[in-house]
Amino acid sequence: MTPIDDDAPPLDPAESLALIERERAKLGRDLSPDPRLMFWPWGIAWLVGFALFFLRFGPDGRVFVDLPAWLPLAALALLMIGAGITTGVVGSRVSRRVTGPSNRQGAMYGISWSVAFTAFSILFAQFSDVLPESQAGLLWAGGMVALTGALYMAGAAIWNDRNMFLLGSWTSLINIVGILAGPGWHSLIVAVAGGGGMVAAGLIGWLRLR
Amino acid sequence: MSDHSEPLVTELDPVIHAQARLRVVSALSVLRDDDRIAFPQLQQSLNMTAGNLSVHLRKLEDASYVEVTKTHHGRTPATLVRLTRRGRLAFDDYTAALRALLNPKEEP
């Protein structure tokens, strides 16, 4: 074999294969957003936000902690807006490193989230005044969590990501269980199992990338 | 069964068979078809100097394994790199040849 220049040839086949895997893993890592930054803000928003809902609007109208009635929704909304901004900034910063079909896909997926959440918010706002407080709360929370589960499952289909599909299915499942259990219980289940699921997803994703 | 792996060595693509270019092609192989990576990002991931990376990219370009395009993101000029279909094929052949060297028995 004639080398085309004096650059050092790889040492042996096993080392070359290891080198290939190292470089592939390195760039793969550099081109994926940190899973902790993508999942933890949402996990924390759900854990804290829905826990406040449970404490203030417990099952059968119970009040475990007499917080101001506006506080749980305000806290959840703020935390979710913060999470949306964080994942949006982190995601777009990473996607700028590549130009082509991949970042178009990512942009379309990001836009899907915003459009779907806006549509659901406008729809649910129409019913907020005609439903009892606890039912309206369940409609909002159940709808948003259903949307989140479905979008994670769709995202998993785009990137062929089994873990993301698992997270989406899990979120959808616990949402249905919570809705059937009723107002109050839904908040507790979503806080612990939903928020906890996202924190776990971020941790697993990060450990796999390391 | 043959224990002469020597003839296979001659089949290893000389363009890729150099540590630096093997690293470049390996990294680029992560990109999906038609995706292009920004030069500074590739340089940072590979931890190479800009000059060194340019030299190797030129050699890969000469073999039509990579495509380097200059474009503008707003006002800032940007250099984008992608692996061509031919480059991907060469990389796949190269890794297959390495595996064959390691496990000659598994060769059909």
Side-chain angles (χ1 to χ4, degrees), chain B residues 50-103:
Chain B
N52 196 10
L53 180 56
S54 297
V55 167
H56 290 295
L57 282 178
R58 203 162 305 131
K59 281 174 186 154
L60 289 165
E61 221 181 349
D62 289 344
S64 300
Y65 286 181
V66 304
E67 190 182 282
V68 179
T69 35
K70 308 233 182 240
T71 179
H72 285 265
H73 280 167
R75 288 188 140 199
T76 32
T79 303
L80 303 172
V81 187
R82 77 177 262 264
L83 196 61
T84 61
R85 197 150 297 168
R86 193 169 168 177
R88 198 171 290 277
L89 226 87
F91 173 71
D92 289 344
D93 285 348
Y94 188 85
T95 49
L98 287 180
R99 292 214 172 82
L101 283 173
L102 276 179
N103 307 304

Side-chain angles (χ1 to χ4, degrees), chain A residues 1-14 16-17 19-21 23-28 30-31 96-103 105 158-159, chain B residues 9 12 14-15 17-23 26-27 29-38 41 44-46 56 59 73 80 91 94-95 98-99 101-102:
Chain A
M1 185 182 52
T2 336
I4 63 169
D5 59 18
D6 54 2
D7 192 64
L11 295 167
D12 69 50
S16 298
L17 283 171
L19 181 79
I20 289 169
E21 274 325 304
E23 291 303 341
R24 285 179 55 87
K26 174 80 167 50
L27 192 66
D30 290 348
L31 298 183
R96 266 204 302 272
R97 294 171 185 169
V98 165
T99 307
S102 290
N103 65 351
Q105 264 177 329
I158 298 171
W159 289 287
Chain B
V9 172
L12 286 176
V15 180
H17 194 67
Q19 257 183 61
R21 285 190 299 278
L22 178 58
R23 292 180 58 215
S26 300
S29 74
V30 171
L31 298 179
R32 296 169 53 178
D33 285 346
D34 297 328
D35 272 350
R36 295 163 196 275
I37 187 170
Q41 181 58 49
Q44 190 195 316
S45 287
L46 290 168
H56 290 295
K59 281 174 186 154
H73 280 167
L80 303 172
F91 173 71
Y94 188 85
T95 49
L98 287 180
R99 292 214 172 82
L101 283 173
L102 276 179

Side-chain angles (χ1 to χ4, degrees), chain A residues 32-102:
Chain A
S32 347
D34 186 334
R36 291 173 298 175
L37 291 177
M38 296 307 276
F39 289 111
W40 286 359
W42 294 101
I44 291 164
W46 284 23
L47 268 172
V48 175
F50 283 107
L52 290 176
F53 262 103
F54 175 74
L55 294 175
R56 177 60 181 80
F57 304 103
D60 308 316
R62 265 179 290 171
V63 179
F64 296 109
V65 179
D66 195 11
L67 301 163
W70 52 266
L71 184 70
L73 182 62
L76 182 64
L78 274 178
L79 285 164
M80 283 179 67
I81 290 168
I85 292 172
T86 308
T87 50
V89 168
V90 171
S92 66
R93 190 178 292 162
V94 168
S95 84
R96 266 204 302 272
R97 294 171 185 169
V98 165
T99 307
S102 290

